[in-house]
Amino acid sequence: MNTLFSDRHYAKLSATTEAGISLASPTQTSSQRTYHYIGGNVKTKGYAAFDESGELRLWQFERRPVGDNDILIEIKYASICHSDIHQQKGDWGKQTYPQVPGHEIVGIVAAVGKQVTKFKVGDRAGIGCMVDSCLECDSCKTGLEQYCDTTLFTYGNPDNREPTTITQGGYSTHIVVRDHFAVHIPDNISLPEAAPLLCAGITTYSPLMKYKIKSGDKIGVVGIGGLGHLAVKIAIAKGAKVYAFTTTAEKEPEIRKLGVEEVIVVDDLRKLQPYKGKLDYMIATVPEQFAAAQYAATVKPFGYFTVVGMGKDFMLNISNIVMSYSQVNFNASLIGGIAETQEVLEFCSKTGVRPQIQLISAQQINQAWKDVIAKKARFRYVIDIATI
Ligand SMILES: [Zn+2]
Ligand SMILES: [Zn+2]
């Protein structure tokens, strides 16, 4: 018997229930026996941070019941974003613990609320960095839910509906989410490969599409990790010539295999000199302080330079004088909206762009976090949630 829900919440193999919630039948989800769910909190297991140490431990907790507009997802995979580490370590401000990180989440829909039409039980679904917003303001109405004043991000945001009082992320067995904030996974993308597209993919795709890449454009990518390697692949899929800038010499062979024009190992900022004013556009994914203005100066005057990586305290120091001489337009971007997140999945489905992933067990999460900090990931760790 499935032990993930308390007994009082089962109604074995009934049809859609009084509460309007249905669960997968045994034929709809793999080998697990499943039962129709009739309400109440959802018992969940996950890996949580308990303090700022950066060490995660197994934790049992409950999620809110599946509401009329919610879906319950049985999580299959969740990938590791550097943001998970920054937030749990308190780099972005004081946190409430225990807190389960993870905002690149994929799984199978196991229950739907009675108002839900977007998903049905058995569908493959993904969740990225957001789980709710007002859906009524100008940002929400124009597909920019991430800029809504009331956006709930996937973990660590106060949410009184949740028994733990905050949103809890995807390093866990189940998640309850408003249907609008889940996206469909195209059939030809495997679930583990879909996970990194939900933050790393959309975060790089969104500004790259706004730039409107033309075939042959020279695009610079700074920082070739989870986000950067996807920026490289997306830009190449659009016909660009990509210049990959990294500070990690050991990554060079792997980066070359991505099909870039050049790999520039920037162990000294003087290595940027030959590229001054040469590139059409540049995106920087570095999740820490870096010499942004010096990199931006590789872009042609009045070209664009976009920052998507976020370091400690969300601060980035920029040399004003270097920026002035480069005459480059500097901007920043935060993930992307829900419709655009669906769009990046369709784009990857059509173009064959897939993240390069390393599958790990839940027991390897703590080591994987250390490896991400040490820049050893090639390029995204994906947790097999079945191992929790
Ligand atoms: Zn992320
Ligand atoms: Zn809104």
Side-chain angles (χ1 to χ4, degrees):
M1 182 164 170
N2 185 336
T3 56
L4 294 163
F5 307 100
S6 49
D7 288 344
R8 66 196 166 90
H9 299 318
Y10 289 123
K12 193 177 179 183
L13 299 177
S14 64
T16 302
T17 63
E18 292 286 298
I21 294 165
S22 61
L23 261 190
S25 71
T27 53
Q28 284 170 308
T29 53
S30 64
S31 59
Q32 250 189 335
R33 291 166 62 198
T34 54
Y35 294 83
H36 290 230
Y37 178 69
I38 57 167
N41 288 346
V42 178
K43 290 197 167 185
T44 308
K45 286 188 293 182
Y47 268 67
F50 289 79
D51 52 38
E52 295 181 356
S53 65
E55 289 283 324
L56 306 189
R57 295 200 308 273
L58 185 62
W59 183 47
Q60 312 239 12
F61 64 105
E62 293 192 349
R63 293 188 183 273
R64 71 168 190 265
V66 179
D68 288 352
N69 294 299
D70 292 333
I71 62 173
L72 170 67
I73 297 175
E74 189 179 314
I75 300 174
K76 297 295 184 188
Y77 299 94
S79 39
I80 296 175
C81 179
H82 207 124
S83 298
D84 301 342
I85 304 171
H86 272 313
Q87 180 154 333
Q88 302 314 320
K89 286 193 156 193
D91 291 348
W92 293 343
K94 201 167 160 43
Q95 296 300 311
T96 301
Y97 300 106
Q99 186 178 138
V100 177
H103 60 204
E104 295 181 337
I105 305 164
V106 291
I108 305 293
V109 176
V112 297
K114 62 184 173 190
Q115 305 279 6
V116 172
T117 54
K118 186 174 175 182
F119 290 93
K120 61 183 190 311
V121 168
D123 282 352
R124 299 173 353 133
I127 302 172
C129 301
M130 299 179 275
V131 288
D132 214 342
S133 72
C134 82
L135 298 185
E136 289 171 356
C137 71
D138 288 347
S139 293
C140 287
K141 282 181 174 166
T142 52
L144 296 167
E145 298 91 342
Q146 73 273 33
Y147 299 120
C148 173
D149 290 339
T150 65
T151 306
L152 275 185
F153 292 95
T154 304
Y155 52 81
N157 273 195
D159 186 351
N160 289 334
R161 299 169 300 177
E162 294 294 343
T164 64
T165 74
I166 58 168
T167 54
Q168 301 286 359
Y171 296 8
S172 61
T173 54
H174 293 80
I175 190 165
V176 177
V177 63
R178 190 169 177 170
D179 63 342
H180 177 83
F181 289 85
V183 292
H184 291 277
I185 311 295
D187 289 342
N188 68 347
I189 304 181
S190 73
L191 285 181
E193 287 177 316
L197 301 176
L198 297 158
C199 168
I202 180 62
T203 301
T204 51
Y205 176 89
S206 182
L208 282 167
M209 293 305 128
K210 282 188 186 69
Y211 165 67
K212 294 187 172 54
I213 301 172
K214 298 180 297 301
S215 186
D217 276 354
K218 292 179 177 174
I219 306 287
V221 179
V222 189
I224 315 298
L227 273 72
H229 93 288
L230 273 169
V232 166
K233 289 188 172 207
I234 292 166
I236 290 174
K238 294 289 286 183
K241 290 180 175 165
V242 174
Y243 294 75
F245 296 81
T246 180
T247 54
T248 312
E250 302 80 61
K251 284 188 184 179
E252 189 174 349
E254 289 288 332
I255 298 171
R256 280 200 188 287
K257 285 186 210 155
L258 302 175
V260 298
E261 200 74 8
E262 278 185 48
V263 182
I264 302 98
V265 178
V266 189
D267 46 12
D268 183 323
L269 287 177
R270 282 176 292 190
K271 298 273 180 71
L272 298 173
Q273 272 298 328
Y275 302 90
K276 195 166 180 295
K278 295 278 197 306
L279 305 180
D280 294 294
Y281 172 80
M282 177 174 257
I283 181 169
T285 71
V286 184
E288 57 197 35
Q289 194 67 245
F290 74 111
Q294 284 79 354
Y295 281 96
T298 63
V299 177
K300 290 172 182 168
F302 306 105
Y304 282 84
F305 173 82
T306 305
V307 169
V308 294
M310 289 193 188
K312 195 168 161 53
D313 300 324
F314 297 126
M315 293 303 290
L316 182 60
N317 294 323
I318 296 166
S319 164
N320 215 337
I321 189 69
V322 176
M323 280 299 283
S324 302
Y325 272 96
S326 72
Q327 303 176 81
V328 169
N329 292 300
F330 183 101
N331 63 27
S333 177
L334 181 69
I335 44 177
I338 297 301
E340 200 175 26
T341 305
Q342 188 67 61
E343 190 183 306
V344 69
L345 285 156
E346 306 302 336
F347 175 86
C348 291
S349 169
K350 286 194 195 92
T351 57
V353 168
R354 300 289 186 275
Q356 188 171 319
I357 61 170
Q358 293 163 281
L359 208 56
I360 62 166
S361 69
Q363 295 71 37
Q364 293 174 292
I365 294 172
N366 287 321
Q367 184 58 48
W369 274 27
K370 292 185 181 85
D371 290 346
V372 169
I373 293 166
K375 303 177 180 179
K376 289 181 181 166
R378 301 290 187 277
F379 287 94
R380 207 54 151 181
Y381 290 115
V382 179
I383 306 159
D384 180 353
I385 297 299
T387 60
I388 290 183

